[in-house]
């Protein structure tokens, strides 16, 4: 926040050689859950942590500076870690990104809004927010719901319904809810903005796993297959481009490093790992593997191995027989023994 404010208000720029140290981020790397300056300074420095900044005087400023110094001394050892260096080095980049903002095509935004006006009128005659009314609708249309809530009602949350999305009436409902969500969460609020350059908050401390998070608004999770994606433009106009960057099979490669399974790591370096797994499972040459067989292997490579998904659950989502998924999982356990043992060992760790 401080760097982006200085960049925006004072026009300041920061040379690459200037080091940035963020005590909040170092506390995050150290595993602290509450990251406010007030909380941490009271915990580690015995400061009062006053909150009335509107009546702040010189003593408040002194305490603010001393608190920051206190936390620097407490967490400075984190600067010697990879994670500590990474997040502090990233501060300048994300501060600059916030100042530059994300440019929207105003004309295209309102065109997309007009396409979504149909969602101002409810599609269903019943209350879709009512668990009982929604479940009754699905049952009346032949959906055999199974799971129930503690109150005895059938579960019809999005996660549960995802297991039934191969049924047309459920698929239609889920697609409708997705589009309504895009309209309500993204399109309508964006049309009400005073400026069509948005400057979201990108947080390096937003998740415990180390992933970034974004808010006000969240441009990190733009709906994938949607007209809404078409409203974003390069701030360099016709001379610029918008790049889409993907960390190819990042989870699989990290698992190979953490588990130490050299056979698995070598397999990941093949021309097409998903096709390789499909070929080994179905007893085919890689060139003979079909698109559908590769799709099944890919689903198992992620959900059925690293994320612990069941054969039945994955098969339901990708619309194949569970025995097909189980066959891929069985091959995995036989081929990648070290990886399999490592995954099992992680399940025993108490979080």
């Amino acid at each position: 926040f401080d760097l982006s404010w200085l960049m925006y208000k004072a026009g300041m720029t920061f040379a690459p050689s200037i080091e940035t140290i963020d005590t909040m981020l170092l506390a995050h790397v150290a595993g602290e859950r509450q990251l406010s300056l007030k909380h941490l300074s009271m915990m580690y420095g015995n400061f009062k942590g006053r909150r009335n900044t509107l009546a702040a005087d010189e003593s408040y400023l002194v305490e603010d500076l001393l608190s920051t110094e206190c936390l620097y001394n407490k967490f400075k050892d984190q600067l010697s870690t990879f994670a500590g260096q990474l997040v502090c080095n990233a501060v300048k980049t994300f501060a600059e990104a916030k100042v530059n903002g994300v440019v929207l095509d105003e004309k295209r935004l309102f065109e997309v809004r007009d396409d979504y006006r149909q969602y101002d009128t409810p599609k269903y005659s019943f209350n879709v927010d009512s668990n009982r009314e929604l479940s009754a609708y699905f049952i009346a249309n032949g959906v055999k719901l199974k799971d129930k809530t503690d109150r005895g009602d059938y579960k019809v949350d999005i996660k549960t319904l995802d297991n039934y999305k191969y049924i047309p009436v459920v698929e239609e409902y889920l697609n409708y809810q997705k589009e309504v969500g895009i309209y309500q969460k993204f399109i309508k609020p964006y049309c009400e903005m005073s400026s069509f350059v948005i400057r979201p908050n990108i947080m390096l401390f937003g998740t415990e796993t180390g992933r970034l998070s974004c808010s006000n608004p969240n441009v990190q999770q733009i709906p994938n297959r949607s007209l809404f994606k078409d409203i974003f433009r390069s701030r360099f106009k016709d001379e610029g481009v918008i790049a889409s960057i993907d960390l190819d099979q990042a989870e699989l490669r990290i698992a190979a490093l953490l588990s130490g399974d050299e056979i698995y790591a070598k397999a990941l370096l093949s021309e097409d790992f998903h096709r390789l797994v499909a070929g080994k499972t179905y007893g085919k040459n890689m060139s003979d593997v079909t698109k559908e067989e590769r799709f099944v292997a890919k689903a198992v490579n992620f959900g059925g191995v690293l994320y612990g998904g069941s054969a039945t659950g994955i098969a339901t989502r990708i619309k194949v027989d569970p025995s097909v998924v189980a066959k891929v999982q069985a091959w995995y356990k036989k081929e990648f023994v070290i990886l399999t043992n490592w995954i099992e060992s992680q399940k025993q760790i108490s979080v």
Side-chain angles (χ1 to χ4, degrees), residues 66-80:
L66 291 175
S67 297
T68 304
E69 181 187 33
C70 170
L71 297 183
Y72 168 74
N73 290 326
K74 169 66 181 178
F75 298 114
K76 64 182 179 182
D77 289 347
Q78 299 301 326
L79 284 170
S80 62

Side-chain angles (χ1 to χ4, degrees), residues 99-145:
V99 172
N100 290 332
V102 180
V103 179
L104 308 180
D105 185 327
E106 181 180 354
K107 179 182 178 182
R108 183 57 182 146
L109 171 61
F110 283 96
E111 288 175 348
V112 172
R113 185 213 42 196
D114 291 340
D115 288 336
Y116 273 81
R117 286 223 184 257
Q118 59 179 300
Y119 297 106
D120 282 325
T121 303
K123 175 182 177 67
Y124 298 94
S125 58
F126 59 89
N127 180 11
V128 295
D129 294 324
S130 168
N131 186 293
R132 292 184 178 181
E133 291 187 36
L134 184 58
S135 59
Y137 168 76
F138 286 131
I139 292 172
N141 282 275
V143 180
K144 297 179 180 179
L145 300 173

Side-chain angles (χ1 to χ4, degrees), residues 9 17 26 40 87 97 130 202 228 247 264 283 311 323:
K9 293 291 187 178
S17 59
L26 294 181
L40 292 174
V87 292
S130 168
I202 305 173
F228 182 66
L247 295 176
Y264 181 60
S323 63

